[in-house]
Amino acid sequence: MFQISLMKKIIKYTLIIFGLTSIHSCIDQIPITVAENKNEYLIVNAELRDNETLHSISLKINSQASSDFQADFPVDDAKVKIIENGTKSYDFLMSDKGNYTNNTLVLKAGNTYQLEIDYKNIIYESTAEILLESLPMKELKTLVSQESFNNPAGNISAGSLVGLYVNADLPKEEDIFLKYSIKGIYQYIEIGTPSNLNPLYCFVDESIDFDNISLVEKSDLTDGKLLNKLIIKKVVDYRFSQNYCMKVYQERITENAFNFWKLVENEYSRTGDIFEKPPGILRGNIIEQSQTDISVVGLFSVIAVDSMNLFIPPSKVGSPRSECRSFNNRPSRCTDCLSIPNSSLIKPECFE
């Protein structure tokens, strides 16, 4: 896990700005003053995936009114579009709170895509990114270990962690740049009581890789094979007491995007938002095209995705105890699982 305290040590004195405007990235350290810390930044999150039919681009602004340089203000007056192969244009329309969407763009391997934003009469453009062919995963594995870890309260605990590992056979003759993301889904079964005679079976989505960055490039391969690559470790708790599913996404990205995420991995300690100020601002591959006081940070990327589900029964992780088995201090969700955020009665394919 990343060490959160590292972020706070240099914030008063320096701002690290990363540029990825060419294939080879560079890093410049730029001293700043307190006054400069109040500059505005347009923050862009524009990752488009070929397995999605509704594409979304998020725009926010860091203004002088925001505290601790947090991006709290959605941008609702920009014009956003994607240009395919330098000619065809797709408009993204604002749908909600700084999110701009499009459902007609179909990403095709071999085509190039470029982001263009018009904000306050300033044009911001990304580099042109090519969508590569997706690459299949071969196998997912888990391994349970006993380790120490930081619990949600920030204290050191000891317990079981389940590690997720991936194997893949990849082309030897091609450049390989991969990033992995994971979504967790767990089954939650209500208990029967006199007031809950028909207990429900819920399925709960959870994000489990907020502070996890897992990257692979060609040098990580052995004769084209990716062998037992650790993707993530997750604490085994009550969520594994019924059944658990990890949905793993193997995302093929360009070298530009890989360099960006490598800088995040090397220089950042993530706490959920990669655009937090400490220890720096990631400039990315989007550049303002004329002089302005509102610089841009963030990343535009087109991603080819392969996915695989891994079903984890309780017996695979030591049969952890359900939180509803206790008679004292039993949480109310034990008889109302739909009160859990992101819960549903619809059974996902992984549990079929």
Side-chain angles (χ1 to χ4, degrees):
M1 294 187 178
F2 295 92
Q3 297 299 313
I4 297 174
S5 60
L6 179 62
M7 294 184 178
K8 304 182 183 298
K9 295 182 179 178
I10 60 173
I11 184 59
K12 294 182 180 180
Y13 307 105
T14 60
L15 173 65
I16 303 173
I17 296 181
F18 300 113
L20 286 179
T21 56
S22 65
I23 289 181
H24 299 289
S25 63
C26 61
I27 302 175
D28 296 321
Q29 285 195 356
I30 302 177
I32 63 169
T33 66
V34 173
E36 288 172 320
N37 191 36
K38 297 181 179 180
N39 289 345
E40 288 186 316
Y41 285 85
L42 180 66
I43 297 172
V44 182
N45 183 0
E47 293 185 298
L48 308 184
R49 293 169 172 82
D50 66 354
N51 65 334
E52 297 176 342
T53 56
L54 179 65
H55 300 291
S56 179
I57 294 172
S58 169
L59 301 183
K60 296 180 181 180
I61 192 75
N62 271 333
S63 76
Q64 296 183 24
S66 59
S67 61
D68 296 328
F69 211 81
Q70 296 299 304
D72 295 330
F73 301 96
V75 170
D76 59 7
D77 56 348
K79 296 179 181 178
V80 180
K81 63 182 177 181
I82 297 294
I83 303 170
E84 183 179 48
N85 292 332
T87 55
K88 190 172 183 179
S89 179
Y90 293 86
D91 291 327
F92 279 60
L93 303 179
M94 194 189 71
S95 57
D96 177 57
K97 296 181 179 179
N99 289 319
Y100 295 75
T101 60
N102 178 284
N103 61 2
T104 62
L105 172 61
V106 179
L107 299 180
K108 298 178 182 178
N111 287 356
T112 61
Y113 299 89
Q114 186 174 23
L115 171 67
E116 183 179 297
I117 300 169
D118 184 342
Y119 179 60
K120 296 188 180 300
N121 296 318
I122 299 296
I123 301 299
Y124 302 84
E125 289 184 353
S126 74
T127 56
E129 297 289 296
I130 186 171
L131 180 68
L132 303 168
E133 293 280 357
S134 64
L135 297 172
M137 287 179 281
K138 180 180 180 180
E139 184 182 25
L140 296 174
K141 295 181 178 180
T142 58
L143 178 65
V144 177
S145 59
Q146 300 298 313
E147 300 182 27
S148 297
F149 55 88
N150 290 325
N151 62 28
N155 301 318
I156 300 296
S157 297
S160 297
L161 278 77
V162 57
L164 174 68
Y165 298 81
V166 63
N167 293 323
D169 293 332
L170 303 170
K172 300 178 185 179
E173 68 281 0
E174 297 181 21
D175 288 333
I176 303 296
F177 301 101
L178 302 175
K179 180 178 179 290
Y180 290 88
S181 60
I182 312 99
K183 183 176 76 172
I185 308 171
Y186 62 92
Q187 188 175 15
Y188 196 99
I189 302 176
E190 293 179 353
I191 59 170
T193 67
S195 60
N196 191 41
L197 297 177
N198 297 298
L200 299 176
Y201 285 52
C202 285
F203 300 91
V204 185
D205 288 354
E206 63 169 350
S207 296
I208 61 176
D209 63 350
F210 275 134
D211 60 350
N212 184 72
I213 299 174
S214 183
L215 302 170
V216 168
E217 59 181 319
K218 194 170 185 177
S219 62
D220 299 318
L221 308 180
T222 302
D223 196 27
K225 297 182 182 296
L226 183 63
L227 301 173
N228 296 322
K229 166 66 177 178
L230 176 62
I231 302 301
I232 196 171
K233 285 188 176 182
K234 177 171 171 56
V235 175
V236 177
D237 58 15
Y238 71 90
R239 295 172 180 84
F240 288 86
S241 63
Q242 303 299 329
N243 291 306
Y244 198 99
C245 176
M246 287 188 179
K247 191 171 185 67
V248 183
Y249 299 89
Q250 180 175 271
E251 302 179 342
R252 191 177 189 186
I253 57 180
T254 64
E255 187 174 1
N256 260 358
F258 180 87
N259 288 338
F260 177 91
W261 285 109
K262 196 67 177 178
L263 290 174
V264 175
E265 182 183 53
N266 291 342
E267 305 293 341
Y268 248 64
S269 299
R270 293 185 60 197
T271 61
D273 183 357
I274 66 169
F275 300 121
E276 293 178 72
K277 184 176 179 183
I281 301 298
L282 295 179
R283 284 282 279 158
N285 63 343
I286 309 167
I287 301 297
E288 52 271 21
Q289 301 300 301
S290 58
Q291 187 68 34
T292 176
D293 291 332
I294 305 176
S295 298
V296 61
V297 297
L299 176 70
F300 170 66
S301 180
V302 287
I303 301 169
V305 181
D306 183 56
S307 63
M308 184 178 289
N309 292 329
L310 180 65
F311 182 76
I312 307 174
S315 59
K316 281 278 190 179
V317 290
S319 299
R321 183 184 178 89
S322 168
E323 67 175 357
C324 297
R325 288 179 61 184
S326 172
F327 290 100
N328 298 319
N329 299 318
R330 182 185 290 160
S332 60
R333 56 181 173 263
C334 289
T335 54
D336 182 16
C337 62
L338 286 176
S339 66
I340 304 172
N342 301 316
S343 64
S344 171
L345 298 179
I346 300 174
K347 183 184 289 188
E349 59 179 352
C350 187
F351 292 86
E352 296 291 347

